[in-house]
């Protein structure tokens, strides 16, 4: 124990042999205490090592620019390039000597570079600060994460649209308030999530567009006196342009917040689908079956097949939302420009990105795995007077009744059927005419689930032809 911090794990108890020696005057209990806890609270290397690729990429672009404008020599640049390549290989191989005393990934790599190439390594940090460096690395990281998540979202959309095409005409009950409302098709239901995911992708793409400006060259906060070429660095890192204000460049994390907000909304969507899958899998519903691949057994109840993956997707939403709220809270009220508070930006973003990636992958797996119980869905689609609206609509169309009146008459017919314990279609014509004498036998043509579905031809409606067309259109767009 080096610091008086409770034993929470290996990171906290990491020995700190590189600390200055204990204070001789007041050694004893306090010994190296303050220095050790300072290192523990200050060091970010345990998590920001995840930025190593971005850090090396940024340094390569910076060094190339320094050489081009004549701030460092071509030989120095070549040495830096070779040194960084060797460091990348060390990190890949797991042999890089990460040191907490060097605080973060930036100083770890820079110190190692100097160790390897000497003098030239010390010139790399000319005209740059860790403040613009970390902002650049982090933007690059978030940009990469966005690209990966967008691809995963497209994959999930493809899985859903493929399923939707197959079940474009298979009925299921549509719900409001989780009460049977009107029949829809299973394909239509799945395509609702495709639309949501398309907007989720759009939000990520939007965030990417705005984050794609380069902070490097803002230096600590005020810019630099060296004749740097910020446009060159921005282009080398595939940014659209350098950021226009040096204070803004080092001090804002809105790009990370936008990412988290988009991630939180996407996770919220996934949690709804997860919840539906959980409901659909339950014994009273039996709408879908998940295979062994996406369920677990119970250690006590042999009959159980638990939808754990769906439950965990539902739960991941909590931590992703938490990441957004956490970082918003860190950033709130910070004066310009950089403050160390901002070092707390990374863990929530790394965690949220990983959680969302896992959730998307698990959901795509479940969507491909699940088997809709079409006969059961068909039966449930017709239960609960699901075609009552179709009856009311027929009264309007055929008898020219005002909708309110049609609604009232239908309500009375539902009450009759309910009292008799039958469906609307099982009432006799005489029973119907007792409520509304002008009703004819034609009414029975609208009371079936299939007729109800086929009639919903309005744009965006659940008619099977609509659904098949929409699914096809998505599959083409996603191809
Ligand atoms: N590890 C730091 C962070 O992630 C890097 C920037 C440090 N800058 C400074 N002026 N102390 O925020």
């Amino acid at each position: 124990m080096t610091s008086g911090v409770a034993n929470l794990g290996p990171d906290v108890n990491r020995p700190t042999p590189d600390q200055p020696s204990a204070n001789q005057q007041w050694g004893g209990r306090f010994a190296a205490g303050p220095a050790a806890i300072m290192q523990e609270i200050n060091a970010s290397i345990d998590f920001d090592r995840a930025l190593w690729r971005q850090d090396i990429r940024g340094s390569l672009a910076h060094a190339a620019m320094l050489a081009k404008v004549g701030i460092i020599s071509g030989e120095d640049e070549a040495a830096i390039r070779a040194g960084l390549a060797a460091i990348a290989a060390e990190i890949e191989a797991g042999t890089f000597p990460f040191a907490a005393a060097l605080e973060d990934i930036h100083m770890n790599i820079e110190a190692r570079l100097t160790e390897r190439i000497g003098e030239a390594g010390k010139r790399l940090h000319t005209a740059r600060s860790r403040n613009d460096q970390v902002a650049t690395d982090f933007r690059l990281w978030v940009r990469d994460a966005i690209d990966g998540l967008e691809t995963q979202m497209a994959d999930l959309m493809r899985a859903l649209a493929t399923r939707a095409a197959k079940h474009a005409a298979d009925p299921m009950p549509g719900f409001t308030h989780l009460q049977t409302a009107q029949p829809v098709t299973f394909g239509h239901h799945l395509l609702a999530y495709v639309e949501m995911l398309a907007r989720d992708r759009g939000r990520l793409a939007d965030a990417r567009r705005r984050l794609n400006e380069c902070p490097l060259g803002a230096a600590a906060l005020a810019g630099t006196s060296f004749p740097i070429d910020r446009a060159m660095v921005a282009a080398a890192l595939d940014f659209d342009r350098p950021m226009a204000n040096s204070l803004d460049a080092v001090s804002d994390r809105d790009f990370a917040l936008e990412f988290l907000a988009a991630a939180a909304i996407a996770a919220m969507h996934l949690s709804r689908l997860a919840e539906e899958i959980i409901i659909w899998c339950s014994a009273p519903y039996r709408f879908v079956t998940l295979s062994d691949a996406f369920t677990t057994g119970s250690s006590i109840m042999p009959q159980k097949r638990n939808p754990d993956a769906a439950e965990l997707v539902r739960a991941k939403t909590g931590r992703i939302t938490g990441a957004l709220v956490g970082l918003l809270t860190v950033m709130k009220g910070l004066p310009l420009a950089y403050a160390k508070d901002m070092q707390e930006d990374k863990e929530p973003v790394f965690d949220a990105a990983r959680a969302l990636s896992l959730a998307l992958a698990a959901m795509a797996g479940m969507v491909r795995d699940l088997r809709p119980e079409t006969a059961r869905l068909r039966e449930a689609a017709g239960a609960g007077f699901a075609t009552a609206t179709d009856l009311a609509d027929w009264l309007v169309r055929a008898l020219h009744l005002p909708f309110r009146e049609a609604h009232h008459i239908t309500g009375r017919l539902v009450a009759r059927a309910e009292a008799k314990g039958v469906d609307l279609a099982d009432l006799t014509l005489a029973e119907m005419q007792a409520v509304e004498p002008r009703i004819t036998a034609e009414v029975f043509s609208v009371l079936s689930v299939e007729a109800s579905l086929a009639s919903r031809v309005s744009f965006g409606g659940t008619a099977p032809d609509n659904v098949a067309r929409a699914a096809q259109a998505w599959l083409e767009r996603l191809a």
Side-chain angles (χ1 to χ4, degrees):
M1 198 79 160
T2 55
S3 66
V5 172
N7 184 356
L8 299 174
D11 293 342
V12 167
N13 283 321
R14 188 197 325 102
T16 53
D18 35 24
Q19 282 310 304
S21 54
N23 187 305
Q24 297 306 304
Q25 305 308 312
W26 41 269
R29 172 171 178 354
F30 288 93
I37 190 64
M38 177 58 199
Q39 175 170 301
E40 283 177 18
I41 195 169
N42 199 38
S44 52
I45 189 61
D46 286 333
F47 51 86
D48 68 16
R49 64 174 72 185
L51 297 174
W52 72 267
R53 284 175 206 282
Q54 291 76 15
D55 196 68
I56 287 178
R57 191 177 171 199
S59 288
L60 287 171
H62 183 64
M65 181 278 290
L66 291 179
K68 155 144 182 284
V69 302
I71 297 172
I72 63 171
S73 68
E75 299 84 77
D76 281 351
E77 197 239 328
I80 289 170
R81 187 170 293 280
L84 288 173
I87 286 171
E90 281 184 335
I91 299 176
E92 295 262 26
T95 58
F96 184 90
F98 288 107
L102 291 168
E103 266 189 64
D104 56 25
I105 188 63
H106 324 292
M107 297 211 293
N108 267 268
I109 290 180
E110 195 190 320
R112 183 72 178 146
L113 182 67
T114 299
E115 219 169 86
R116 295 190 68 111
I117 67 168
E119 190 80 3
K122 295 188 191 167
R123 297 191 193 280
L124 173 60
H125 211 53
T126 316
R128 126 183 138 169
S129 150
R130 274 189 298 155
N131 295 349
D132 57 341
Q133 192 179 354
V134 73
T136 302
D137 293 2
F138 199 28
R139 276 178 191 257
L140 290 173
W141 194 95
V142 172
R143 196 176 72 184
D144 288 346
I146 286 175
D147 292 345
L149 290 166
E150 260 206 82
T151 305
Q152 284 193 273
M153 282 181 184
D155 181 59
L156 174 54
M157 290 167 74
R158 238 183 327 267
L160 286 162
T162 304
R163 277 270 132 133
K166 178 145 182 254
H167 300 287
D170 284 329
M172 72 175 282
F175 298 98
T176 59
H177 315 269
L178 204 51
Q179 305 292 314
T180 301
Q182 295 170 358
V184 295
T185 78
F186 191 64
H188 195 57
H189 196 109
L190 296 183
L191 284 183
Y193 285 101
V194 174
E195 298 288 338
M196 292 176 227
L197 281 158
R199 290 192 297 275
D200 292 332
R201 271 184 93 191
R203 267 180 285 273
L204 283 184
D206 247 23
R208 190 193 198 284
R209 219 169 293 126
R210 261 186 302 281
L211 81 65
N212 206 33
E213 295 188 343
C214 186
L216 211 57
L221 76 166
T224 177
S225 57
F226 290 98
I228 58 172
D229 182 348
R230 293 194 58 203
M232 176 184 170
V233 175
L237 297 175
D238 295 321
F239 284 116
D240 295 329
R241 63 192 77 82
M243 291 185 76
N245 181 294
S246 60
L247 287 167
D248 175 45
V250 295
S251 67
D252 206 358
R253 294 295 182 266
D254 60 352
F255 67 92
L257 290 166
E258 280 197 50
F259 166 67
L260 289 175
I265 294 172
M268 173 277 292
H269 285 150
L270 295 184
S271 80
R272 298 183 72 178
L273 178 52
E275 169 67 0
E276 297 205 302
I277 290 175
I278 292 161
I279 293 173
W280 294 346
C281 283
S282 69
Y285 275 79
R286 285 186 295 106
F287 282 2
V288 305
T289 311
L290 281 175
S291 82
D292 296 355
F294 286 94
T295 52
T296 62
S298 156
S299 55
I300 180 171
M301 297 165 284
Q303 85 284 9
K304 291 286 284 288
R305 182 192 275 289
N306 297 323
D308 292 29
E311 291 171 285
L312 286 164
V313 168
R314 186 174 60 183
K316 296 285 180 204
T317 311
R319 54 201 286 174
I320 296 170
T321 306
L324 170 63
V325 176
L327 185 54
L328 277 171
T329 313
V330 166
M331 295 305 296
K332 177 195 171 296
L334 281 188
L336 301 188
Y338 178 85
K340 199 60 175 264
D341 305 53
M342 280 183 241
Q343 180 165 283
E344 291 287 312
D345 58 0
K346 290 166 208 66
E347 287 161 290
V349 169
F350 294 162
D351 187 73
R354 177 173 155 71
L356 183 57
S357 173
L358 271 173
L360 285 166
M363 190 52 89
M366 281 187 280
V367 167
R368 293 197 167 98
D369 180 79
L370 65 79
R371 209 180 56 233
E373 302 295 342
T374 49
R376 166 81 191 120
L377 282 163
R378 165 69 185 80
E379 175 198 336
F385 311 108
T387 56
T389 314
D390 298 273
L391 172 49
D393 287 352
W394 182 85
L395 293 172
V396 170
R397 253 192 337 268
L399 306 184
H400 307 292
L401 295 179
F403 183 77
R404 272 292 147 240
E405 207 172 309
H407 184 286
H408 185 74
I409 291 165
T410 306
R412 289 179 59 203
L413 289 167
V414 166
R416 286 230 159 180
E418 199 164 32
K420 211 182 150 193
V422 297
D423 273 333
L424 278 173
D426 302 323
L427 290 175
T428 64
L429 183 58
E431 282 168 323
M432 293 211 190
Q433 286 170 339
V435 172
E436 168 49 61
R438 285 171 292 174
I439 292 180
T440 69
E442 191 198 82
V443 74
F444 291 102
S445 71
V446 302
L447 295 182
S448 75
V449 166
E450 282 68 23
S452 170
L453 289 174
S455 74
R456 296 292 192 277
V457 290
S458 57
F459 179 77
T462 194
D465 286 351
N466 276 6
V467 176
R469 229 176 298 118
Q472 208 43 51
W474 272 119
L475 286 173
E476 278 158 31
R477 281 164 74 177
L478 292 164

